[in-house]
PDB file of all heavy atoms in Angstrom:
ATOM      1  N   THR A  17     -10.190  25.168   3.591  1.00 40.00           N
ATOM      2  CA  THR A  17      -8.866  24.559   3.594  1.00 40.00           C
ATOM      3  C   THR A  17      -8.930  23.168   4.190  1.00 40.00           C
ATOM      4  O   THR A  17      -8.346  22.227   3.665  1.00 40.00           O
ATOM      5  CB  THR A  17      -7.871  25.427   4.387  1.00 40.00           C
ATOM      6  OG1 THR A  17      -7.830  26.725   3.793  1.00 40.00           O
ATOM      7  CG2 THR A  17      -6.477  24.823   4.372  1.00 40.00           C
ATOM      8  N   ALA A  18      -9.671  23.008   5.295  1.00 37.00           N
ATOM      9  CA  ALA A  18      -9.787  21.689   5.917  1.00 37.00           C
ATOM     10  C   ALA A  18     -10.451  20.717   4.968  1.00 37.00           C
ATOM     11  O   ALA A  18     -10.040  19.570   4.845  1.00 37.00           O
ATOM     12  CB  ALA A  18     -10.587  21.793   7.220  1.00 37.00           C
ATOM     13  N   ALA A  19     -11.493  21.152   4.279  1.00 38.00           N
ATOM     14  CA  ALA A  19     -12.200  20.262   3.367  1.00 38.00           C
ATOM     15  C   ALA A  19     -11.363  19.959   2.137  1.00 38.00           C
ATOM     16  O   ALA A  19     -11.520  18.909   1.525  1.00 38.00           O
ATOM     17  CB  ALA A  19     -13.532  20.894   2.960  1.00 38.00           C
ATOM     18  N   ALA A  20     -10.463  20.880   1.775  1.00 42.00           N
ATOM     19  CA  ALA A  20      -9.683  20.706   0.558  1.00 42.00           C
ATOM     20  C   ALA A  20      -8.527  19.735   0.738  1.00 42.00           C
ATOM     21  O   ALA A  20      -7.984  19.235  -0.224  1.00 42.00           O
ATOM     22  CB  ALA A  20      -9.138  22.059   0.090  1.00 42.00           C
ATOM     23  N   THR A  21      -8.141  19.441   1.994  1.00 44.00           N
ATOM     24  CA  THR A  21      -7.055  18.507   2.226  1.00 44.00           C
ATOM     25  C   THR A  21      -7.558  17.107   1.913  1.00 44.00           C
ATOM     26  O   THR A  21      -8.524  16.647   2.482  1.00 44.00           O
ATOM     27  CB  THR A  21      -6.579  18.584   3.683  1.00 44.00           C
ATOM     28  OG1 THR A  21      -6.157  19.917   3.933  1.00 44.00           O
ATOM     29  CG2 THR A  21      -5.433  17.641   3.938  1.00 44.00           C
ATOM     30  N   VAL A  22      -6.895  16.433   0.988  1.00 50.00           N
ATOM     31  CA  VAL A  22      -7.332  15.104   0.563  1.00 50.00           C
ATOM     32  C   VAL A  22      -6.175  14.131   0.746  1.00 50.00           C
ATOM     33  O   VAL A  22      -5.045  14.433   0.393  1.00 50.00           O
ATOM     34  CB  VAL A  22      -7.771  15.127  -0.916  1.00 50.00           C
ATOM     35  CG1 VAL A  22      -8.178  13.743  -1.370  1.00 50.00           C
ATOM     36  CG2 VAL A  22      -8.906  16.113  -1.123  1.00 50.00           C
ATOM     37  N   LEU A  23      -6.474  12.980   1.298  1.00 59.00           N
ATOM     38  CA  LEU A  23      -5.459  11.955   1.465  1.00 59.00           C
ATOM     39  C   LEU A  23      -5.487  11.021   0.262  1.00 59.00           C
ATOM     40  O   LEU A  23      -6.538  10.750  -0.290  1.00 59.00           O
ATOM     41  CB  LEU A  23      -5.730  11.146   2.731  1.00 59.00           C
ATOM     42  CG  LEU A  23      -5.705  11.935   4.031  1.00 59.00           C
ATOM     43  CD1 LEU A  23      -6.140  11.042   5.180  1.00 59.00           C
ATOM     44  CD2 LEU A  23      -4.329  12.492   4.292  1.00 59.00           C
ATOM     45  N   ASN A  24      -4.336  10.525  -0.130  1.00 60.00           N
ATOM     46  CA  ASN A  24      -4.258   9.516  -1.181  1.00 60.00           C
ATOM     47  C   ASN A  24      -4.546   8.168  -0.542  1.00 60.00           C
ATOM     48  O   ASN A  24      -3.661   7.530   0.010  1.00 60.00           O
ATOM     49  CB  ASN A  24      -2.867   9.518  -1.825  1.00 60.00           C
ATOM     50  CG  ASN A  24      -2.606  10.802  -2.565  1.00 60.00           C
ATOM     51  OD1 ASN A  24      -3.518  11.373  -3.144  1.00 60.00           O
ATOM     52  ND2 ASN A  24      -1.375  11.268  -2.549  1.00 60.00           N
ATOM     53  N   LEU A  25      -5.795   7.747  -0.596  1.00 63.00           N
ATOM     54  CA  LEU A  25      -6.224   6.520   0.049  1.00 63.00           C
ATOM     55  C   LEU A  25      -6.228   5.373  -0.943  1.00 63.00           C
ATOM     56  O   LEU A  25      -6.348   5.593  -2.151  1.00 63.00           O
ATOM     57  CB  LEU A  25      -7.625   6.709   0.623  1.00 63.00           C
ATOM     58  CG  LEU A  25      -7.739   7.845   1.638  1.00 63.00           C
ATOM     59  CD1 LEU A  25      -9.185   8.110   1.982  1.00 63.00           C
ATOM     60  CD2 LEU A  25      -6.954   7.501   2.885  1.00 63.00           C
ATOM     61  N   PRO A  26      -6.139   4.138  -0.459  1.00 65.00           N
ATOM     62  CA  PRO A  26      -6.210   2.989  -1.365  1.00 65.00           C
ATOM     63  C   PRO A  26      -7.501   3.029  -2.185  1.00 65.00           C
ATOM     64  O   PRO A  26      -8.578   3.295  -1.638  1.00 65.00           O
ATOM     65  CB  PRO A  26      -6.183   1.792  -0.415  1.00 65.00           C
ATOM     66  CG  PRO A  26      -5.561   2.301   0.839  1.00 65.00           C
ATOM     67  CD  PRO A  26      -5.962   3.745   0.934  1.00 65.00           C
ATOM     68  N   GLN A  27      -7.394   2.749  -3.460  1.00 73.00           N
ATOM     69  CA  GLN A  27      -8.546   2.847  -4.366  1.00 73.00           C
ATOM     70  C   GLN A  27      -9.703   1.953  -3.924  1.00 73.00           C
ATOM     71  O   GLN A  27     -10.854   2.346  -3.984  1.00 73.00           O
ATOM     72  CB  GLN A  27      -8.126   2.515  -5.805  1.00 73.00           C
ATOM     73  CG  GLN A  27      -9.203   2.827  -6.836  1.00 73.00           C
ATOM     74  CD  GLN A  27      -9.600   4.295  -6.849  1.00 73.00           C
ATOM     75  OE1 GLN A  27      -8.763   5.182  -6.689  1.00 73.00           O
ATOM     76  NE2 GLN A  27     -10.877   4.573  -7.025  1.00 73.00           N
ATOM     77  N   ASP A  28      -9.408   0.743  -3.433  1.00 71.00           N
ATOM     78  CA  ASP A  28     -10.494  -0.150  -3.026  1.00 71.00           C
ATOM     79  C   ASP A  28     -11.255   0.406  -1.825  1.00 71.00           C
ATOM     80  O   ASP A  28     -12.470   0.238  -1.717  1.00 71.00           O
ATOM     81  CB  ASP A  28      -9.994  -1.570  -2.766  1.00 71.00           C
ATOM     82  CG  ASP A  28      -8.990  -1.661  -1.620  1.00 71.00           C
ATOM     83  OD1 ASP A  28      -8.258  -0.680  -1.386  1.00 71.00           O
ATOM     84  OD2 ASP A  28      -8.941  -2.718  -0.975  1.00 71.00           O
ATOM     85  N   VAL A  29     -10.561   1.111  -0.924  1.00 68.00           N
ATOM     86  CA  VAL A  29     -11.231   1.732   0.213  1.00 68.00           C
ATOM     87  C   VAL A  29     -12.147   2.845  -0.285  1.00 68.00           C
ATOM     88  O   VAL A  29     -13.314   2.941   0.113  1.00 68.00           O
ATOM     89  CB  VAL A  29     -10.209   2.281   1.237  1.00 68.00           C
ATOM     90  CG1 VAL A  29     -10.893   3.101   2.314  1.00 68.00           C
ATOM     91  CG2 VAL A  29      -9.421   1.135   1.856  1.00 68.00           C
ATOM     92  N   LEU A  30     -11.639   3.685  -1.195  1.00 72.00           N
ATOM     93  CA  LEU A  30     -12.456   4.762  -1.756  1.00 72.00           C
ATOM     94  C   LEU A  30     -13.690   4.212  -2.461  1.00 72.00           C
ATOM     95  O   LEU A  30     -14.800   4.719  -2.287  1.00 72.00           O
ATOM     96  CB  LEU A  30     -11.626   5.611  -2.727  1.00 72.00           C
ATOM     97  CG  LEU A  30     -10.532   6.474  -2.104  1.00 72.00           C
ATOM     98  CD1 LEU A  30      -9.690   7.124  -3.193  1.00 72.00           C
ATOM     99  CD2 LEU A  30     -11.129   7.521  -1.189  1.00 72.00           C
ATOM    100  N   GLU A  31     -13.498   3.165  -3.270  1.00 76.00           N
ATOM    101  CA  GLU A  31     -14.618   2.583  -4.017  1.00 76.00           C
ATOM    102  C   GLU A  31     -15.655   1.972  -3.080  1.00 76.00           C
ATOM    103  O   GLU A  31     -16.851   2.136  -3.279  1.00 76.00           O
ATOM    104  CB  GLU A  31     -14.107   1.537  -5.006  1.00 76.00           C
ATOM    105  CG  GLU A  31     -13.346   2.153  -6.168  1.00 76.00           C
ATOM    106  CD  GLU A  31     -12.635   1.127  -7.046  1.00 76.00           C
ATOM    107  OE1 GLU A  31     -12.793  -0.098  -6.805  1.00 76.00           O
ATOM    108  OE2 GLU A  31     -11.922   1.562  -7.977  1.00 76.00           O
ATOM    109  N   HIS A  32     -15.195   1.276  -2.059  1.00 70.00           N
ATOM    110  CA  HIS A  32     -16.123   0.651  -1.107  1.00 70.00           C
ATOM    111  C   HIS A  32     -17.008   1.705  -0.444  1.00 70.00           C
ATOM    112  O   HIS A  32     -18.223   1.560  -0.388  1.00 70.00           O
ATOM    113  CB  HIS A  32     -15.353  -0.132  -0.046  1.00 70.00           C
ATOM    114  CG  HIS A  32     -16.236  -0.680   1.041  1.00 70.00           C
ATOM    115  ND1 HIS A  32     -16.990  -1.814   0.870  1.00 70.00           N
ATOM    116  CD2 HIS A  32     -16.485  -0.233   2.292  1.00 70.00           C
ATOM    117  CE1 HIS A  32     -17.672  -2.046   1.980  1.00 70.00           C
ATOM    118  NE2 HIS A  32     -17.373  -1.106   2.861  1.00 70.00           N
TER     119      HIS A  32
END
Side-chain angles (χ1 to χ4, degrees):
T17 302
T21 301
V22 178
L23 299 174
N24 294 325
L25 301 171
Q27 190 60 38
D28 63 330
V29 172
L30 290 173
E31 289 171 4
H32 174 79

